[in-house]
Amino acid sequence: MIDTVFESFSPEDTSAFGEKIGKSAAPGQLFTLIGDLGVGKTVFTQGVAKGLGIDDAICSPTFTIVQVYEEGRLPFYHFDVYRIGDVEEMDEIGYEDYFYGEGVTFVEWANLIEEILPETYTRITIEKDLEKGFDYRKITVEQVENK
């Protein structure tokens, strides 16, 4: 996917855009998801899971750090690293198996673990703009190359 900006005016729009991302996701692809609390990261991720053909309820894995969903067209690894105190905790989880595996990986709060992200990934940023409405979200998708 080329760099793009999507404007959402409802949670349904946000989910539908996530679903589009999920339908086009490829094996081994890693996405980071950046945005403040309550901006719609989980709604977006639920859409991605739907696009991958996953019917399970998707919730943010805040306390478990990673949730694994195997029943879609590709395995889906959903990380929430908000509570990571030290990046070394990611080693204990075995993050490399997920980041470099055959599934699709989503990492919420990835800015907290930037030093272990792959050289290439897709960054998704979700932002509010209350001047455009309570449900408005600006979703920016960009390819990152750290060489």
Side-chain angles (χ1 to χ4, degrees):
M1 173 175 274
I2 59 171
D3 294 354
T4 188
V5 174
F6 176 80
E7 292 186 300
S8 169
F9 294 92
S10 70
E12 293 79 17
D13 287 350
T14 299
S15 179
F17 186 59
E19 184 175 351
K20 181 179 174 183
I21 299 285
K23 285 181 178 177
S24 66
Q29 198 165 10
L30 185 136
F31 296 84
T32 64
L33 196 52
I34 309 296
D36 293 333
L37 288 170
V39 80
K41 293 184 300 291
T42 300
V43 169
F44 183 85
T45 304
Q46 289 167 341
V48 170
K50 185 176 180 184
L52 288 168
I54 298 168
D55 294 325
D56 285 354
I58 305 293
C59 57
S60 189
T62 302
F63 294 100
T64 58
I65 309 299
V66 64
Q67 282 287 68
V68 177
Y69 304 91
E70 300 276 355
E71 69 278 2
R73 69 176 179 82
L74 294 169
F76 182 46
Y77 313 127
H78 181 200
F79 283 80
D80 182 332
V81 299
Y82 183 75
R83 298 200 184 281
I84 290 286
D86 188 316
V87 77
E88 289 177 5
E89 291 177 50
M90 293 297 289
D91 288 329
E92 296 170 16
I93 295 167
Y95 79 93
E96 289 177 327
D97 293 338
Y98 302 105
F99 283 21
Y100 301 100
E102 292 301 312
V104 175
T105 303
F106 258 71
V107 184
E108 295 187 35
W109 300 99
N111 51 309
L112 300 174
I113 60 163
E114 284 181 336
E115 61 265 34
I116 63 169
L117 292 175
E119 287 184 0
T120 303
Y121 61 92
T122 303
R123 178 174 41 224
I124 299 171
T125 306
I126 304 177
E127 302 168 284
K128 292 182 182 182
D129 184 345
L130 293 178
E131 291 182 12
K132 293 187 177 187
F134 181 76
D135 288 329
Y136 174 85
R137 301 294 186 267
K138 176 182 169 188
I139 304 171
T140 305
V141 180
E142 52 196 333
Q143 295 303 123
V144 176
E145 303 271 338
N146 291 323
K147 294 184 178 181

